[in-house]
Structure formats: structure tokens, C-alpha cells
Amino acid sequence: MRNNGTGPGPITPDGSPVEFYSMLRPDGEPELVAQVTPPGGSVLELGAGVGRVTHPLLALGFEVVAVDESPEMLARVQGAQTILAQVEGLRLDRRFDTVMLASQLVNTADDASRRELIATCARHVVPGGVVLIQWMPASAHDRWYVGRSRTDGDITITMAAVEEVSPGVYHATMRYTYDGDKVWTQSFSSRRLTDDELAAELATEGLRLDGFLTEDRTWVSAVPA
């Protein structure tokens, strides 16, 4: 099943509604980066989107290179070097203190794409650097159900549909509502990965799972093995 999205404004190739994502605020990500990155250090942000995390990182004094496949997303990033490209297969001529892969991209249902994502992280981190990966743990997949909802100010996010379409692979649709008026949907597939499976995927590309950085275990640190 293909990722797709609906609603007002531009929609990216992976189904992300640009206008909706422009409303979201950082959720502790800049502080996580600051924990593992030397002051003034370099950060490669893969899947940077509209700069929700980029801009706070710049304000903290980090050098940020923001990569995204959506020109509409990158057009909203200011103050950082931007690169319009897919994360898979990316090859820059430098390495970074910290490489950041957010948005649960690693949970892609495409196994080959997952390996490419991790390989991109591995070849762009300096020896002694850190790769930060946001993922959906297996236990979080197990708590998915239709109608699950959370509200943040004027924004409500609801799981409108979810189905296990093959063993360990889920197809879900999220509904995003702003101020009860504007509505977007985003449909995507997600693979349920266990801790051991994620560690094995990282090891294939020369990375070692180093630990979980948040209480909900959705942020993982990995280091060159």
C-alpha cells in the first residue's frame, strides 16, 4: 500500500501535509541532540521537513545540514544549508558529529529502504559520533487502535484506521484536525520491529545500538561499532 495524504495545501511524496507539519512544535528533540553533540557541533538532519527541529538546533548554536525530498518542506527552512534529496542513497562529502533520523522512517515496511536509511546514517557520522533514530517500538505498535487520539492546543491527532496487512506490517491512517475546521489525513505502512531486530539492522551497517534516550524508548542512540 502506498503512503498518501489528503487535505489543504501541498502534500509530500510520503503523504505528509506541509501546512499541518508547519504548525507542530519541537517535542524535546533539540535537547536530545544537545545531550550527545559537542557545543557548536555539526548535525545532519535527515528528513528535516519544515524545520520544526532545525530552527531550535540553530538557535542552540549547532551547524545543521537539513535534508528532505520535499521542496515545499525545505522552502520553510531558514538559516541552515538545505539539500533536496532522498535520504536513501545520500552521499555527501563529509561526516557529522550527530546524524539524526526522525519521524519513524526506520519503521518503513520496505526492508531494502530501511537498510539504505541506516547505511546513510552510518556513512555520514564521524568516528566517535552518534546516530539518533526515532522509531516506533514493538510495544507501541501493540497499543494502536482505531480512535486513539491526543490533543495539543488546537490540534487533534486521531488514528482513523489501522490494519495488520501482513505479519508485522501495519497500514494506518491518521487524521489531523486543526481548530475543528481544517482536516488532513496521512496514510502509511509501518513494520513492527523488536529491539533485537533493530539492533541487528544497525549492526549490518556497522552501527551498535547504544541505548534508549527517552522513557517511552522512541529515541535510540547508535554509535559506530
Side-chain angles (χ1 to χ4, degrees):
M1 295 186 180
R2 292 179 57 85
N3 295 354
N4 60 78
T6 66
I11 305 293
T12 69
D14 72 350
S16 300
V18 176
E19 186 176 339
F20 169 73
Y21 277 93
S22 297
M23 299 176 183
L24 299 181
R25 297 169 291 185
D27 189 24
E29 298 93 344
E31 291 76 15
L32 289 178
V33 174
Q35 287 179 25
V36 301
T37 311
S42 57
V43 179
L44 177 62
E45 189 183 1
L46 302 171
V50 297
R52 179 181 63 87
V53 177
T54 315
H55 298 138
L57 289 177
L58 292 170
L60 290 171
F62 296 112
E63 177 203 357
V64 183
V65 174
V67 178
D68 204 278
E69 66 176 349
S70 165
E72 294 88 355
M73 288 279 199
L74 282 183
R76 304 191 182 209
V77 176
Q78 299 183 5
Q81 179 186 350
T82 58
I83 296 176
L84 179 63
Q86 286 191 318
V87 175
E88 299 93 324
L90 181 73
R91 293 182 180 275
L92 305 180
D93 59 358
R94 61 172 295 192
R95 293 175 179 261
F96 298 78
D97 297 311
T98 298
V99 177
M100 185 178 185
L101 182 69
S103 301
Q104 294 95 33
L105 293 176
V106 76
N107 287 99
T108 175
D110 186 325
D111 295 337
S113 179
R114 182 182 314 104
R115 287 190 289 271
E116 285 290 334
L117 291 168
I118 295 172
T120 294
C121 293
R123 65 174 161 261
H124 288 100
V125 66
V126 300
V130 177
V131 175
L132 295 180
I133 298 175
Q134 184 182 29
W135 75 313
M136 183 68 63
S139 58
H141 278 98
D142 297 341
R143 293 193 297 270
W144 280 3
Y145 61 88
V146 173
R148 182 174 183 176
S149 181
R150 65 182 176 89
T151 299
D152 182 6
D154 294 328
I155 296 171
T156 299
I157 301 174
T158 303
M159 180 164 281
V162 62
E163 178 185 4
E164 188 172 11
V165 294
S166 62
V169 176
Y170 296 80
H171 191 72
T173 297
M174 306 302 296
R175 183 172 63 248
Y176 310 131
T177 305
Y178 174 71
D179 200 23
D181 183 24
K182 289 186 175 181
V183 179
W184 299 267
T185 68
Q186 182 175 4
S187 299
F188 59 94
S189 295
S190 180
R191 179 171 292 281
R192 181 186 186 276
L193 295 170
T194 65
D195 294 3
D196 288 344
E197 288 170 337
L198 177 62
E201 296 268 15
L202 293 170
T204 298
E205 300 302 332
L207 295 173
R208 175 174 58 82
L209 196 158
D210 190 50
F212 301 96
L213 301 180
T214 54
E215 186 176 349
D216 62 6
R217 304 173 74 255
T218 57
W219 278 98
V220 173
S221 64
V223 296

